Amino acid sequence: METTTLRQRRLGFLEKTINRQGSVLDVRHWDPSGFCEIDLHLPGVNMQNWQSPPHIKCRVAPYHYRDYTPARWNATLRTCTLFIDTSHEGPGSQWAQSLVPGDVFHYLGADGTRQKIIQGSHLVMLGDRSAIGHFNGLQQLAASHNWISGMVVIPDEAHRHQFATAFPELPLETLPDADTLLAQLEQQALHPSWQYYLAGNSHLVVAARKILKARGCPANHIQALGFWK
């Protein structure tokens, strides 16, 4: 059986072989704590080719990686912003809270996610604050004539107000908990042409998908992506 030390050596060699670097331009922590925005410069990433919200595999600690969705990218300047929920304990939250402008940003690569934009449709986004960056990426890829609505769970009241100010491009209703979102989803009108994008906590994503399917929403109109449990 491979020992922990040997495994770490193998991972260390892999990191040195494929590690890529960018730089941290700015970090903004919301008040109260629990959410932050991280501006990055990624000179090695070609953002022109992004067709779906991408994810970046970030090195948050030795031998530890987390996937985060870049949003508000500028393909010419090769800059973007990560929006990270830091309310949960773990290496990802600790890493995000420790970053300061000028830090080197280590990552393995940037790949597209499974969710695709259906141009010209009404996009309904359902999730929690860990999906804010993902929803922002969807909005950026959507044509200007796409209609966007939906609901996002943001437990802290102050953060709900900050969201409305910081993300005017995401006209989503902010709710205090997942139960409220699911209860409202049970009552809201559905339309056969609407496209549903579910993201965030896996339990919330599964529950919302079950409600939509039980109410007759076609499976090909639901794109679900669980980020954490």
Side-chain angles (χ1 to χ4, degrees), residues 71-212:
R72 293 181 177 171
W73 60 85
N74 184 312
T76 301
L77 299 177
R78 302 202 178 192
T79 60
C80 63
T81 301
L82 304 183
F83 299 101
I84 300 180
D85 179 1
T86 59
S87 62
H88 307 284
E89 290 295 327
S93 294
Q94 294 171 6
W95 166 79
Q97 291 169 345
S98 71
L99 289 176
V100 296
D103 279 351
V104 175
F105 171 76
H106 298 274
Y107 68 103
L108 293 186
D111 297 307
T113 59
R114 297 189 305 273
Q115 292 193 345
K116 305 293 184 182
I117 287 292
I118 308 300
Q119 296 291 359
S121 62
H122 176 184
L123 314 180
V124 184
M125 303 177 186
L126 304 170
D128 58 31
R129 64 181 174 182
S130 70
I132 288 175
H134 184 78
F135 291 157
N136 203 291
L138 285 169
Q139 179 274 330
Q140 187 167 347
L141 290 166
S144 59
H145 56 268
N146 280 87
W147 179 23
I148 293 174
S149 67
M151 297 178 283
V152 59
V153 174
I154 302 177
D156 190 275
E157 182 178 2
H159 286 180
R160 294 198 290 274
H161 291 299
Q162 284 180 271
F163 175 85
T165 301
F167 296 93
E169 69 273 30
L170 291 177
L172 308 180
E173 182 180 1
T174 57
L175 302 171
D177 53 64
D179 289 341
T180 303
L181 184 151
L182 296 173
Q184 291 196 191
L185 186 59
E186 290 270 16
Q187 304 300 321
Q188 287 190 349
L190 304 183
H191 191 279
S193 67
W194 291 356
Q195 295 288 329
Y196 290 85
Y197 296 85
L198 318 182
N201 180 276
S202 297
H203 300 294
L204 172 59
V205 168
V206 169
R209 189 170 185 226
K210 286 182 178 178
I211 290 173
L212 289 171

Side-chain angles (χ1 to χ4, degrees), residues 16-38:
K16 291 179 181 179
T17 303
I18 63 177
N19 177 60
R20 301 179 184 180
Q21 294 184 0
S23 58
V24 177
L25 300 177
D26 195 14
V27 181
R28 295 174 296 281
H29 297 278
W30 287 24
D31 185 26
S33 61
F35 193 81
C36 69
E37 308 177 18
I38 302 167

